[in-house]
Amino acid sequence: MNSNSFFDVIEENNAFCYAGFCLKIKWNVSAIAGHTNADGYIVQRIHYTDTVGASPPIDDYYEAWLVCGGVCIGSFDYDDIFSLDASYSERPICQSLGKQGSICYDAKIYWVERAHPLYRVVDSWKENNTPMAGGLKTVFVNDCKEFENVAPCFLRRFEHKFDCRSDEAVEMALRQAYAVRINNKDPNLRPYLQKILKHSNYLWVIDKICPSS
């Protein structure tokens, strides 16, 4: 079965010229569990790689969604999100200028039925226990050996590649990162860009993005 049958993509932006992206999905619970009105946990194991250091390194981890009556508890318009600087945070754009790189999520997804012995294992995990899992129940892989010999239901992979080495790519990346502020003619954008670019070779782009009146 194609992995996309296990989830629906709600939103995706993978076209930024720098280390920024956003992917939101909604789990297809009945496809993952194999039946309707399921009770249990959807468990995802994440291996995260970042070639440019746009975010801090992190060990592999598990995260889990509680499912009751075939519905992910606590979810709204999406269940899972892979995101880095989808809007205006300065760090990824600064880390990207003049570089080529990629950020990748390799994931294994498991279904744990409520009656299965692994349910108690997952249920014992704490919330906010790993940096990237938010409020989900989560644990580092090194602290949980129970899934080592368990076959996943399916695999999923998301990769963001970018090349921000040319002058044109740098200008485009900055325009993408600060599109709202540019469109709004934000008077504070010029001094902001001067601050974040002062130690770079890209001060020239400020006059193109924020021309002097």
Side-chain angles (χ1 to χ4, degrees):
M1 184 181 290
N2 187 291
S3 65
N4 285 343
S5 65
F6 292 110
F7 59 86
D8 297 315
V9 175
I10 305 301
E11 178 184 337
E12 182 173 8
N13 192 332
N14 198 19
F16 290 125
C17 295
Y18 62 100
F21 54 84
C22 181
L23 174 69
K24 296 178 181 178
I25 69 158
K26 191 80 173 175
W27 297 121
N28 185 340
V29 177
S30 59
I32 295 172
H35 59 92
T36 58
N37 299 316
D39 293 317
Y41 277 105
I42 295 172
V43 175
Q44 180 169 242
R45 173 175 173 161
I46 294 289
H47 176 68
Y48 178 81
T49 55
D50 174 359
T51 66
V52 293
S55 59
I58 186 169
D59 293 336
D60 293 4
Y61 62 94
Y62 294 106
E63 54 189 0
W65 290 258
L66 176 63
V67 174
C68 295
V71 177
C72 284
I73 302 302
S75 297
F76 297 98
D77 59 329
Y78 64 90
D79 294 319
D80 191 28
I81 180 171
F82 295 157
S83 178
L84 183 65
D85 182 46
S87 302
Y88 316 117
S89 175
E90 72 180 56
R91 184 178 183 193
I93 183 70
C94 293
Q95 292 291 96
S96 306
L97 299 178
K99 297 178 182 178
Q100 179 184 34
S102 69
I103 296 170
C104 186
Y105 295 78
D106 285 296
K108 298 178 181 179
I109 290 78
Y110 307 83
W111 170 250
V112 179
E113 195 76 27
R114 185 178 180 86
H116 196 279
L118 281 175
Y119 183 92
R120 289 189 177 183
V121 173
V122 179
D123 202 49
S124 71
W125 297 348
K126 305 299 183 184
E127 298 174 359
N128 301 299
N129 202 37
T130 64
M132 297 177 70
L136 295 171
K137 285 183 175 291
T138 178
V139 68
F140 285 111
V141 168
N142 288 338
D143 297 326
C144 179
K145 305 300 183 185
E146 288 86 351
F147 280 85
E148 284 186 351
N149 298 313
V150 178
C153 298
F154 67 99
L155 310 178
R156 59 185 288 234
R157 191 172 201 263
F158 174 82
E159 184 175 17
H160 173 68
K161 295 181 178 180
F162 69 92
D163 188 342
C164 199
R165 293 176 295 179
S166 70
D167 287 353
E168 294 80 4
V170 168
E171 181 180 350
M172 178 60 69
L174 289 165
R175 289 187 180 278
Q176 290 174 331
Y178 304 109
V180 173
R181 298 181 68 175
I182 293 170
N183 290 337
N184 291 338
K185 300 187 184 324
D186 182 351
N188 297 316
L189 179 57
R190 186 179 182 89
Y192 175 78
L193 290 176
Q194 288 172 335
K195 178 181 177 181
I196 69 171
L197 297 175
K198 65 181 178 180
H199 297 303
S200 76
N201 296 320
Y202 305 111
L203 284 169
W204 58 268
V205 81
I206 297 174
D207 285 334
K208 300 192 69 174
I209 293 176
C210 305
S212 301
S213 55

